[in-house]
Amino acid sequence: MKIRLSVYTKLVAFILIWAVSACSLDIENVNGPTDQQVVNSRDGLITLSVGMRQVYSTLALESIILTPGTTARELRGITTFTNIIEIDQGGSSLPNFNGNVLSLWQRPLRVMAMAEDIVTNAPSVLSSDPTMLSGVTAHAQLMKAMCLGGLAQSFTYGISQTSITGSAPFQTRDQLLDQAISLLKEAAETIAMTPPSTEFTTRVTGTEFDLPNTIQAYLARYSLMAGNYADAIAAANSVSQTVASRFIYTNLAPNPLYNQVQIAKNYAARDNFGLPAALTEAGDQRISFYFTTDKTSFQDDAIIGLKGFATAIDQPIPAYIPDEMKLIIAEAIVRSSGNLNEAVEQINAVRTQTSGDPFGIHAGLSAYAGPVTTDDLLTEIYKQRSSELYLSGLRLEDSRRFDRPAPPDDVVPVPITFERSRNYYPFPLQERQNNLNTPEDPAL
């Protein structure tokens, strides 16, 4: 994938237009800096750090949530755009020239290239400012890890290091997760040894995005996906349940859920989180948190108005939801043959919660009363994850990991009775044409 410095001059101009309302940035001429000045100056690296997260939150996150969310039945494509119709239908005939698939591949790689340039140049540019250096470096490592994780959740192989020649080697999704975990561990160690400065927080992350907790939350997430259960539990336990880490939006950098669902109306929410009846529960207060009462029919589906984190153009979106940590601990305990009663305690901490969540997500259900067996608890954990973590980009990965029914390989469109319409996506045609290392597409 060819993504590098040629885009930075225009990108910095866009970043600064957005950032002036959120951060204090001292670049005098927003259209002036060259590519090399961006990565070889203190202010350029700081600006690029702000922009990297903004590109992730507006573009990469949009693809990571909406495309797999449609495949995993959280959303329904209600547009006439062919690329969204093809994603919604799924099946073995999904073409590799699909625009959504290209965005799901290309946007994380764009952010990765920015992160790599920051990590490469920061040690020399910020050598005299260790507290800014630690923050900028750890922040970039986190962003790259998020992108690697996003690729691993959607593709059977991915690229772990971008290349200006377009011939980057591919790695398995397991290798991508391993590298993401390594980056997160390095980031956590970096800021533990040298805590970032107040200036870093003011100019780069702001007060709404909590770097230490977000690093640990993603470390817990990817450790679980990789099967590193002890590490997942340790990281999850270190995440504060009272901290809300958010991606911030403005009119110039709009909330992608609001933009695509409420304004463009390309997608609509499926009723009851897109889950089969057996995985829904009457009285779940998360239904009224995420949805309106505006229910209607669309073709063969019931769709409903979306609330949650999609009610305004500038509404923040969580970087992670704190209760994910409880469900990670529960799943890791069950999958590592731990004490199942301890797993039930974590499940009940999510099920019975009526207050205290920093985002206001409360199930308000009674305690779990089902069988305390491995299979039954895993089903319950999947059910809780699907409701608690709705539209957080995790459902497709969860659907595979919890061995939910795979879609048929010879039916298009895939019937809505199947909980996902693909397992993984084909590699974009553009990547295949430019990179001879591109593996064969998965059948489904």
Side-chain angles (χ1 to χ4, degrees), residues 279-306:
L279 293 178
T280 60
E281 194 166 344
D284 191 334
Q285 295 177 17
R286 292 168 297 194
I287 294 174
S288 61
F289 177 87
Y290 281 110
F291 307 114
T292 71
T293 58
D294 183 20
K295 191 181 300 186
T296 187
S297 296
F298 180 83
Q299 298 178 359
D300 54 356
D301 257 349
I303 58 175
I304 193 168
L306 180 63

Side-chain angles (χ1 to χ4, degrees), residues 131-331:
T131 58
M132 178 63 76
L133 173 61
S134 67
V136 164
T137 300
H139 179 250
Q141 290 172 322
L142 169 63
M143 289 293 117
K144 179 171 180 178
M146 288 178 169
C147 293
L148 290 170
L151 292 173
Q153 290 165 218
S154 295
F155 297 95
T156 52
Y157 293 84
I159 291 170
S160 64
Q161 188 76 19
T162 61
S163 169
I164 60 175
T165 66
S167 59
F170 279 70
Q171 293 186 314
T172 67
R173 62 184 303 271
D174 289 340
Q175 290 173 318
L176 297 181
L177 287 173
D178 286 345
Q179 181 162 350
I181 290 167
S182 294
L183 285 169
L184 292 166
K185 288 181 176 179
E186 289 176 19
E189 183 178 354
T190 294
I191 61 174
M193 292 180 61
T194 308
S197 61
T198 300
E199 183 191 12
F200 166 79
T201 301
T202 301
R203 297 186 65 179
V204 178
T205 61
T207 57
E208 297 291 329
F209 188 86
D210 188 281
L211 183 60
N213 277 290
T214 305
I215 289 170
Q216 291 299 324
Y218 278 78
L219 180 57
R221 178 184 295 180
Y222 297 146
S223 294
L224 177 72
M225 292 178 185
N228 303 334
Y229 301 128
D231 287 350
I233 291 172
N237 274 323
S238 72
V239 177
S240 171
Q241 286 291 310
T242 62
V243 169
S245 185
R246 301 176 173 94
F247 294 116
I248 302 301
Y249 301 96
T250 68
N251 289 344
L252 294 173
N255 175 312
L257 296 179
Y258 180 84
N259 201 38
Q260 288 293 323
V261 176
Q262 316 289 20
I263 301 300
K265 298 187 184 302
N266 289 322
Y267 305 87
R270 280 189 160 99
D271 193 20
N272 286 327
F273 307 101
L275 293 170
L279 293 178
T280 60
E281 194 166 344
D284 191 334
Q285 295 177 17
R286 292 168 297 194
I287 294 174
S288 61
F289 177 87
Y290 281 110
F291 307 114
T292 71
T293 58
D294 183 20
K295 191 181 300 186
T296 187
S297 296
F298 180 83
Q299 298 178 359
D300 54 356
D301 257 349
I303 58 175
I304 193 168
L306 180 63
K307 288 166 51 180
F309 303 104
T311 62
I313 197 169
D314 60 350
Q315 183 179 15
I317 292 177
Y320 64 92
I321 291 171
D323 274 356
E324 180 187 352
M325 302 303 109
K326 300 171 188 174
L327 296 171
I328 284 173
I329 293 169
E331 183 181 345

Side-chain angles (χ1 to χ4, degrees), residues 394-409:
L394 296 170
R395 177 75 67 84
L396 181 57
E397 169 70 28
D398 286 358
S399 181
R400 294 190 308 262
R401 192 172 72 255
F402 285 86
D403 200 26
R404 303 303 299 175
D409 59 7

Side-chain angles (χ1 to χ4, degrees), residues 1-74:
M1 190 69 188
K2 296 180 180 179
I3 300 175
R4 229 22 169 210
L5 293 175
S6 60
V7 301
Y8 282 0
T9 301
K10 292 180 181 178
L11 179 63
V12 168
F14 165 76
I15 293 165
L16 287 171
I17 290 171
W18 166 80
V20 289
S21 64
C23 300
S24 172
L25 295 167
D26 298 324
I27 305 291
E28 294 182 358
N29 181 354
V30 298
N31 295 310
T34 66
D35 293 343
Q36 288 303 314
Q37 287 173 331
V38 170
V39 296
N40 289 326
S41 72
R42 185 179 192 273
D43 280 347
L45 281 180
I46 291 171
T47 302
L48 185 58
S49 297
V50 174
M52 171 184 59
R53 191 175 71 258
Q54 193 64 19
V55 172
Y56 179 87
S57 64
T58 55
L59 296 178
L61 188 62
E62 176 185 279
S63 293
I64 288 169
I65 290 177
L66 294 177
T67 295
T70 303
T71 298
R73 309 303 198 190
E74 292 180 304

Side-chain angles (χ1 to χ4, degrees), residues 3-4 8 108-118 162:
I3 300 175
R4 229 22 169 210
Y8 282 0
L109 288 174
R110 184 175 301 156
V111 177
M112 281 173 52
M114 298 164 75
E116 290 163 4
D117 281 328
I118 291 169
T162 61

